[in-house]
Amino acid sequence: MTAELVRGQNHPLSQVRLEIRVSADTPIVAAAALSDEAGRIHGVEGVAHPGAPTQPGLEVSRQAAADHRLAVDLDAMPETVHRVSVLLALPVGGAGPVRFGAVAAPYVAVTGLDGAEIASYTITGLDAESAVVALELYRRQGAWKVRAVGQGYAGGLAELLTDQGLPQAQQLAGSINDAVAQGLARSVQAAPPRTADGDRSRQAAAPALGPDQGGTAPQPGPVPPMSPYGGQPSGGQGQPPGYPGAAADPSAVTQPAGPTAGGGPIDYSHPRRRNAAPPPPPPTAPPAAPGQPAQPVAGDATGWSMEERLYNQVWGMFEDLARTTAAYRSAVDFAESRMDKELEQVLSDPRSRIGGQGDAAREAARARYAQLVDRAREALDRDLAQLKAEADVVEPALPPAYARWDNPVWHAYRVPMETPMALRLGDLHLPEADRIRIPMLVRLPLERGLWIDSGRTESSEGLSTDAHALGRLAMETAVAHAARLLAVHPAGEFTVHVVDPAGSGAQPLAPLVHSGVLAGPPARGAAGVTDVLTRLTQRVDLVQMAVRGGAADSLPPGFDTSQQLLIVNDFPHGFDDRAVNQLRYLADEGPAFGVHLMMVADREESSGYGPLLDPLWRSLLRLTPVPDDHLADPWVGHAWTYEPTLVPPGSEVLQQVLAQVAAARTKYS
């Protein structure tokens, strides 16, 4: 039975290999501190955090997320360690909440390796605090116990670590915040939460055995993309509703039955929408026969329009795949841990170390491992089959903004009358489910600039492609993204500028230049760079002053109110210090006032600026022209392989779409 602790209460621990699970309503930072009997940390090496995630007997998540799993082996702790404190903090410097009182109470559970909860604690009573000691495992008379602490600190991690007696508290807090910022920079943008009534109805592939960021469940965020949907993960007994845990027996990982509940990505306070929850999806398919999975249909999610339902459905598929893969990986980890423990017991007994008895014990341990892994894989394959079937019906039904360039919907393209709610930037997939491609949808208007990395990546495709080809592919990727942005906006509501100081992108830019959809010819040389950056920074200044002064309707007559996109090729060529500062200003302030940045650059080429440009790279969403596993989902933090959506070789669809955009712009002007 799970012990539900209140602040100050303790509970004995009967196991030494544990997992500490953290669930929150928003991405948070998880760390753990090793201290002595007096509760003092003796050095930075005594803290496991995203920048240094492993310590003896301890491992934490590498980035901020709504769900965390911390691995603890108490037998591996040094003799000088008497307390293991679990620390939680809100990320600093982002757009998220700055105090725990603004989000739902975090939930922490201590479980065994089999997933069964030993003790849990809901951290209530927090208000202005931005960091908290959630609980501690402590050694008393040779035995370990867990205590619910719930001590919050309004001064954040620096104040918390100082209170723990760490002399280098300020420096370590800064290092943790830097590591978290780097992790967030690679995470897919989280979608805003949905109202409680906006649940997604999805029928699972199999009945459940037991009970992402959003709603009352943990928010979207790598059990470490954003959660548009709540819901119950595979397995997890004895947990509160919505807690994302692994199955109590990882060998029996299953999907939940019936509709899943949770939050989602739509802000229903939009002035053109009614201030109410959206209607449920229409009954487009007959109910499934008993014991059979439901037949997937496109638009099987809530929303006011088919576009919105498809957006929510894609996000649901994204989360489902992230969580079912996490459950499978957790089951495999459990099987490996159990086999290691059984083999260790065999080797520790001299009587069974050699001979037939020892061989039989080893074979039995390996057989149990194989059985657990096979059962977990069977459950994963069942879930993947359902997701693959859903993807097969969703992909052909996607509108142009969500569709790949090879989708027939582009052949019937017409310039839209309204801006869509999101845009497809590529596809995401995991190694366990290589045949399932999840559309990577980001909300419009863009909240972050884009960085198309023209440098070498660690993927096999990146290492096997020469530098010149990578640069050309990066520009082709940028052109495809820019063309899609132009195509999904109404005529006159999106303007593209290009800075190409050395003219190296002339060939890839030809479709944009020849179709006449650019605001002007690509700017060349240092003078061209200065001219474009000066005009756009002045525009941001003007709109910013008008908005903050409450006089947004007093902009000069003839002022172009359309969204602006600046494509920068071959950075930092042609950029002096002033131009670099202007670029950083546009990256930081531009998106809020209608100016967006798309960088095509190799970070190594700007290394001469040192750490000055680190905030610039972190503020941009990094994309690659070749497949690369650098993006993380916002629920469990898997490393997802990203593939850009490029125009198929020999296809004329891009030229046809741009021709219609240019004709509509001419008519609009």
Side-chain angles (χ1 to χ4, degrees):
M1 179 180 296
T2 303
E4 298 181 1
L5 306 180
V6 297
R7 184 172 183 177
Q9 186 178 359
N10 61 44
H11 185 75
L13 295 173
S14 58
Q15 303 178 46
V16 294
R17 292 186 177 182
L18 305 167
E19 192 171 70
I20 299 175
R21 299 176 181 175
V22 180
S23 173
D25 199 45
T26 186
I28 59 175
V29 183
L34 308 179
S35 54
D36 59 17
E37 286 184 282
R40 298 184 64 83
I41 307 171
H42 290 280
V44 294
E45 66 279 358
V47 181
H49 57 84
T54 58
Q55 298 294 342
L58 187 62
E59 183 173 2
V60 303
S61 304
R62 296 178 180 270
Q63 72 175 56
D67 310 330
H68 292 273
R69 294 189 178 191
L70 285 64
V72 179
D73 185 351
L74 297 176
D75 275 352
M77 294 289 171
E79 289 296 324
T80 56
V81 173
H82 288 263
R83 294 187 192 180
V84 181
S85 301
V86 177
L87 318 177
L88 307 178
L90 294 170
V92 300
V98 297
R99 60 187 185 90
F100 277 110
V103 299
Y107 175 85
V108 186
V110 179
T111 76
L113 292 183
D114 59 356
E117 285 192 5
I118 300 170
S120 65
Y121 174 42
T122 301
I123 311 172
T124 58
L126 298 178
D127 186 12
E129 297 87 348
S130 59
V132 61
V133 179
L135 52 77
E136 64 180 13
L137 313 180
Y138 65 99
R139 197 196 313 248
R140 182 66 54 83
Q141 296 179 349
W144 286 90
K145 295 183 178 183
V146 57
R147 176 188 292 122
V149 180
Q151 177 63 52
Y153 297 84
L157 276 173
E159 182 182 354
L160 185 156
L161 294 170
T162 300
D163 192 48
Q164 298 269 322
L166 180 64
Q168 308 94 336
Q170 292 287 345
Q171 297 91 322
L172 180 58
S175 299
I176 295 174
N177 292 331
D178 288 343
V180 171
Q182 293 175 11
L184 291 175
R186 62 183 286 268
S187 181
V188 180
Q189 180 72 29
R194 186 195 297 174
T195 57
D197 293 334
D199 298 342
R200 178 190 186 216
S201 293
R202 295 173 60 84
Q203 196 158 356
L209 297 183
D212 13 31
Q213 304 163 326
T216 58
Q219 289 288 350
V223 170
M226 10 186 204
S227 166
Y229 312 95
Q232 298 163 345
S234 300
Q237 297 180 0
Q239 296 168 349
Y243 177 78
D249 179 0
S251 65
V253 178
T254 60
Q255 285 289 344
T260 59
I266 311 305
D267 178 5
Y268 295 108
S269 63
H270 193 287
R272 290 181 295 177
R273 295 196 182 103
R274 289 173 292 168
N275 188 20
T284 53
Q292 296 295 323
Q295 294 300 313
V297 293
D300 185 19
T302 54
W304 292 111
S305 65
M306 187 62 173
E307 177 197 8
E308 186 175 351
R309 292 199 296 270
L310 285 168
Y311 174 84
N312 289 343
Q313 187 172 15
V314 167
W315 267 92
M317 294 163 55
F318 188 16
E319 182 179 6
D320 289 348
L321 182 54
R323 293 199 181 281
T324 195
T325 304
Y328 168 74
R329 292 180 180 179
S330 177
V332 172
D333 289 343
F334 164 75
E336 290 177 349
S337 297
R338 195 171 85 167
M339 182 180 68
D340 291 343
K341 186 175 182 179
E342 290 175 349
L343 292 176
E344 183 181 329
Q345 290 174 346
V346 171
L347 294 174
S348 64
D349 187 352
R351 294 171 298 178
S352 60
R353 190 175 302 159
I354 58 177
Q357 183 180 357
D359 292 341
R362 282 188 285 270
E363 287 300 320
R366 295 188 182 100
R368 282 189 290 270
Y369 166 79
Q371 182 183 31
L372 287 176
V373 172
D374 288 344
R375 291 170 65 186
R377 185 72 214 193
E378 180 182 351
L380 175 67
D381 289 342
R382 183 176 61 244
D383 295 343
L384 295 184
Q386 183 74 359
L387 281 169
K388 181 64 168 64
E390 185 172 14
D392 288 344
V393 299
V394 168
E395 186 68 46
L398 296 176
Y402 302 173
R404 288 196 293 253
W405 284 109
D406 59 359
N407 192 311
V409 72
W410 285 106
H411 296 292
Y413 168 77
R414 295 292 182 270
V415 177
M417 300 298 293
E418 291 187 355
T419 302
M421 63 189 301
L423 182 84
R424 186 176 190 156
L425 290 179
D427 294 335
L428 300 169
H429 67 89
L430 291 170
E432 290 89 348
D434 187 64
R435 60 198 180 105
I436 299 178
R437 295 296 193 270
I438 302 294
M440 179 181 167
L441 303 181
V442 297
R443 292 296 296 266
L444 292 178
L446 296 173
E447 296 182 8
R448 298 171 65 182
L450 305 178
W451 166 28
I452 316 299
D453 190 353
S454 59
R456 286 201 176 278
T457 65
E458 296 300 321
S459 66
S460 58
E461 291 86 350
L463 293 174
S464 61
T465 307
D466 64 63
H468 177 73
L470 276 175
R472 177 179 52 79
L473 285 172
M475 272 307 298
E476 290 177 356
T477 302
V479 168
H481 290 327
R484 183 182 290 266
L485 283 162
L486 283 164
V488 303
H489 282 83
E493 292 193 13
F494 199 83
T495 304
V496 177
H497 310 264
V498 176
V499 167
D500 187 19
S504 60
Q507 183 177 352
L509 286 168
L512 297 178
V513 175
H514 295 161
S515 62
V517 296
L518 297 179
R524 302 287 176 83
V529 171
T530 300
D531 177 61
V532 173
L533 291 178
T534 299
R535 284 190 286 112
L536 290 178
T537 52
Q538 288 176 349
R539 173 193 171 85
V540 171
D541 287 340
L542 182 61
V543 177
Q544 190 178 57
M545 287 188 293
V547 171
R548 291 179 177 175
D553 56 349
S554 64
L555 292 169
F559 183 84
D560 181 8
T561 58
S562 66
Q563 298 281 313
Q564 310 284 311
L565 174 69
L566 172 61
I567 303 176
V568 177
N569 185 34
D570 269 354
F571 177 80
H573 301 301
F575 282 75
D576 55 19
D577 289 346
R578 182 171 183 271
V580 169
N581 287 331
Q582 288 176 318
L583 197 66
R584 288 185 56 187
Y585 176 74
L586 290 178
D588 293 339
E589 301 292 336
F593 301 99
V595 177
H596 310 281
L597 192 60
M598 184 184 294
M599 300 273 291
V600 182
D602 179 358
R603 185 172 182 173
E604 291 300 320
E605 294 183 359
S606 62
S607 58
Y609 286 93
L612 175 67
L613 291 181
D614 286 350
L616 172 65
W617 302 119
R618 287 199 297 264
S619 69
L620 304 175
L621 176 61
R622 177 177 174 250
L623 304 176
T624 53
V626 295
D628 187 73
D629 60 349
H630 66 282
L631 289 175
D633 66 79
W635 300 286
V636 293
H638 295 313
W640 293 72
T641 296
Y642 165 81
E643 294 184 26
T645 53
L646 299 177
V647 179
S651 173
E652 298 293 325
V653 65
L654 185 66
Q655 289 78 2
Q656 295 170 4
V657 168
L658 290 177
Q660 291 200 44
V661 172
R665 286 170 61 90
T666 302
K667 183 177 180 181
Y668 174 81
S669 301

